[in-house]
Amino acid sequence: MKESGKISNAVIRRLPRYRRALKELMKKDVERISSNELSALIGYTASQIRQDLNNFGGFGQQGYGYNVQGLYTQIGMIMGLDKDYKMVIVGSGNLGQAIANYATYYRAGFVVVGMFDVNPKLIGISINGIEVQDYEVLGEFLKENKVDIGIICTTKSSAQNVADKLCQGNVKGIWNFAPMDIEVSEDVALENVHLSDSLNALAYYISHPMQ
Amino acid sequence: MKESGKISNAVIRRLPRYRRALKELMKKDVERISSNELSALIGYTASQIRQDLNNFGGFGQQGYGYNVQGLYTQIGMIMGLDKDYKMVIVGSGNLGQAIANYATYYRAGFVVVGMFDVNPKLIGISINGIEVQDYEVLGEFLKENKVDIGIICTTKSSAQNVADKLCQGNVKGIWNFAPMDIEVSEDVALENVHLSDSLNALAYYISHPMQ
DNA sequence: TAGATTGTTAATCGATTAACAATC
DNA sequence: TAGATTGTTAATCGATTAACAATC
């Protein structure tokens, strides 16, 4: 078992996929699975699957494979999904609301505790029981409430300011949907979701059909 | 200059970043830039920048560097952004609406030509001048209108059916926001945006602070 | 011309795959 | 015990970085 800091990003990005596959298997009451069977299911090689899992410890058993339920739980713990994350959403337009809905209905463990905006038309409305507050009070809110994750759903032009304010408020991570690269201090985890980059990649592949 | 099909995915994912940086430079009326300066700006090594760009041709000039405006245009053409893409959005809830707004206001070249949903409360409403139609008529719509990109903003359970219908309707690419891996035929480009995977990766990094 | 900087080859690094002894 | 399958080491592959001759 390696040091946690040594796990490569490539491996970390595959963990959710393993977990999703295991969840499906649990639904089908499958009790155990071999790396070969899992490979057929999700497309990674059996060798890669065994390598990946062994970064975190020997979860399998020779001659048997992996216990589906057990591995699911283990991967969840590795991913930090045994804890709760309190989140604020900054920018409560369509995208902010979509994320609030998603988190509320589908992701126990990720709890929206506050929503903010500068638009007077949005301030005061309620999204899944969370009232949208004036962005002006975000700093105060973060002082009074421990918040783990700040979600930026604002325009490009305000994204960096929002990020700074979130960092001052001691969030542990930022999930950024604004179409720019923001800067945060080293101790804050940052996950950029560049939807426009993703759409551009799709346009590239459409324009350059394979073979 | 390599065959277009030989460009690695890693390179393609970096192209949007180059383009964004060049756009910023154009705003600041910068005329030329060296790989070293660009490196300082976006964090890739100068060597990688030169390697990346040379996959597509020699855009630079020894002793001078790269012409900002020219390179911006070239990269746009490589990325296929000199053409228009007609898109339909299937699932017109918050996320579908957020994407419709985004495309309408920020991305000339990506045009929403139709929105669809099964929810009677959404059918008939207008988003940026596009009326949400009954999902029942999607097949017909795709027969009568050439559509390049299908965007899936539905629930997990209907995502694969929607993908099948879009493929039957001869879309060239699918942008999938449903939290599952859908299957499409080889000739259709597929871009999955797994927001939950992204949030999970963030949770991982929060749970495992570096050193 | 001299200096700067590319284009490109070679070296390095890291990630993936193959192989197989260990062992359930 | 025999068969199956892991854990783990070694080999391969691909991507990144370094180096430098070409050349503007």
Side-chain angles (χ1 to χ4, degrees), chain B residues 8 10 14 45 47-48 50-51 61-63:
Chain B
S8 82
R14 284 193 290 269
T45 63
S47 190
Q48 179 163 68
R50 294 200 300 277
Q51 286 273 23
Q61 197 173 316
Q62 281 100 328

Side-chain angles (χ1 to χ4, degrees), chain A:
Chain A
M1 184 141 139
K2 291 187 195 170
E3 287 295 306
S4 67
K6 303 262 178 67
I7 307 296
S8 83
N9 187 51
V11 173
I12 291 157
R13 301 285 156 181
R14 283 193 291 268
L15 291 179
R17 183 87 194 267
Y18 290 126
R19 191 159 170 274
R20 268 189 283 133
L22 291 163
K23 182 82 174 271
E24 291 298 317
L25 289 167
M26 280 164 66
K27 272 193 204 159
K28 288 173 189 157
D29 290 319
V30 178
E31 265 183 29
R32 67 191 185 94
I33 192 153
S34 68
S35 55
N36 256 301
E37 292 166 320
L38 200 50
S39 170
L41 228 52
I42 62 181
Y44 306 152
T45 64
S47 191
Q48 178 164 68
I49 292 169
R50 293 200 300 278
Q51 285 273 23
D52 281 356
L53 297 178
N54 262 82
N55 281 306
F56 305 102
F59 299 136
Q61 197 173 316
Q62 281 100 328
Y64 172 88
Y66 300 87
N67 178 274
V68 172
Q69 166 83 62
L71 188 57
Y72 177 81
T73 307
Q74 292 282 353
I75 290 183
M77 282 174 58
I78 291 161
M79 290 169 75
L81 299 178
D82 51 335
K83 301 163 217 138
D84 272 9
Y85 296 88
K86 291 184 178 164
M87 316 194 293
V88 293
I89 297 175
V90 185
S92 300
N94 281 312
L95 183 59
Q97 292 181 29
I99 290 166
N101 279 315
Y102 176 76
T104 306
Y105 293 116
Y106 297 110
R107 298 304 305 265
F110 293 92
V111 187
V112 178
V113 295
M115 297 188 67
F116 299 86
D117 210 294
V118 291
N119 183 344
K121 283 185 187 157
L122 292 174
I123 296 168
I125 68 166
S126 202
I127 312 291
N128 297 312
I130 303 288
E131 192 182 324
V132 176
Q133 298 177 63
D134 191 330
Y135 175 66
E136 289 293 313
V137 304
L138 174 61
E140 209 178 322
F141 184 93
L142 293 172
K143 257 186 221 159
E144 286 164 16
N145 301 270
K146 184 185 149 295
V147 171
D148 301 295
I149 296 174
I151 307 177
I152 301 178
C153 300
T154 65
T155 58
K156 195 159 114 172
S157 56
S158 27
Q160 185 61 57
N161 285 336
V162 172
D164 293 345
K165 181 138 282 184
L166 287 166
C167 289
Q168 279 163 35
N170 288 311
V171 301
K172 293 173 192 158
I174 287 181
W175 202 18
N176 176 41
F177 286 83
M180 68 170 301
D181 294 299
I182 61 176
E183 309 263 331
V184 298
S185 57
E186 283 254 325
D187 57 331
V188 175
L190 173 63
E191 180 78 8
N192 284 301
V193 181
H194 288 317
L195 295 182
S196 62
D197 287 11
S198 168
L199 183 57
N200 283 337
L202 183 60
Y204 179 91
Y205 283 114
I206 289 174
S207 307
H208 302 77
M210 290 299 150
Q211 44 142 318

Side-chain angles (χ1 to χ4, degrees), chain A residues 202, chain B residues 13 172-176 182-184 188-192:
Chain A
L202 183 60
Chain B
R13 301 285 156 181
K172 294 174 192 157
I174 287 181
W175 202 18
N176 175 42
I182 62 175
E183 310 263 331
V184 299
V188 175
L190 173 63
E191 180 79 7
N192 285 300

